[in-house]
Amino acid sequence: MTIKLIAIDIDDTLLDSKGQLLPSTIAAVKEARDQGIKVVLCTGRPLAGAQHYLDALGLAGDDQYVITYNGAVIESIAGRIVAKHLVDNAHYRQLTAFGKQHHVPFTCSMRTVRSIQLTAMLTGSQLYRRGKTKLGC
C-alpha cells in the first residue's frame, strides 16, 4: 500500500517540547514531499497561526492543504476554503448558555458575522454523547 497523505498535528507532535521544528522533522517532511506524499498540518490555530511552520516546511500553494480551527476548516495553504463546518449563531448562543450554566470555559473565533467556530469545544462536560450533542447541534 502506498502512502498518499500524512496529516500531523502541530503542537506537541510536529513541534518539540520547546515549540520548535527539529531539523530531522524538516528533513522527514521534505523526504515525504519528494516522494509525492501530501503533508497536511492540523491545528486549532487559524491559517495565519500555522503559516510560519508551513513556510519552514516548504509547504505552499493552492494544491497543498491545512486543517485549521480544530478541524472546522479545511483550506488550501493559499487560503481557499475546501470545506468548513461552522457553528451558527443560534447554536453558539445555546453553547454559551450551557457553558455558563455548567461552568465550562470555551473560546470561539468569528469567521463571519453569521458563522462562529468553536476553537475549544466544551471538553470534559456532558455536552457530547455518541456523536450527538444534548443541544441537538
Side-chain angles (χ1 to χ4, degrees), residues 93-133:
R93 291 177 189 278
Q94 287 180 307
L95 289 166
T96 299
F98 181 91
K100 285 180 181 178
Q101 178 184 357
H102 297 282
H103 308 289
V104 180
F106 68 95
T107 59
C108 67
S109 63
M110 300 289 288
R111 288 286 294 183
T112 69
V113 172
R114 293 185 174 179
S115 298
I116 297 170
Q117 185 275 321
L118 298 179
T119 57
M121 294 303 288
L122 303 169
T123 57
S125 72
Q126 294 182 7
L127 180 63
Y128 291 103
R129 183 180 52 202
R130 293 188 181 159
K132 299 243 181 192
T133 68

Side-chain angles (χ1 to χ4, degrees), residues 4-119:
K4 296 182 181 183
L5 183 139
I6 298 170
I8 187 165
D9 181 55
I10 293 177
D11 295 308
D12 297 324
T13 305
L14 182 73
L15 304 179
D16 68 8
S17 61
K18 296 177 184 171
Q20 302 294 315
L21 279 170
L22 297 174
S24 58
T25 302
I26 295 170
V29 169
K30 182 183 181 322
E31 183 178 334
R33 288 181 40 242
D34 289 347
Q35 293 178 25
I37 299 170
K38 290 277 187 196
V39 177
V40 177
L41 298 191
C42 307
T43 183
R45 305 168 189 218
L47 178 58
Q51 194 63 58
H52 169 77
Y53 306 108
L54 295 165
D55 294 344
L57 294 169
L59 301 172
D62 203 45
D63 64 339
Q64 298 292 331
Y65 303 94
V66 61
I67 299 173
T68 57
Y69 292 102
N70 286 327
V73 179
I74 301 170
E75 56 193 306
S76 73
I77 293 173
R80 180 178 51 85
I81 302 294
V82 176
K84 62 183 178 179
H85 303 284
L86 305 176
V87 175
D88 63 34
N89 192 277
H91 286 118
Y92 166 75
R93 291 177 189 278
Q94 287 180 307
L95 289 166
T96 299
F98 181 91
K100 285 180 181 178
Q101 178 184 357
H102 297 282
H103 308 289
V104 180
F106 68 95
T107 59
C108 67
S109 63
M110 300 289 288
R111 288 286 294 183
T112 69
V113 172
R114 293 185 174 179
S115 298
I116 297 170
Q117 185 275 321
L118 298 179
T119 57

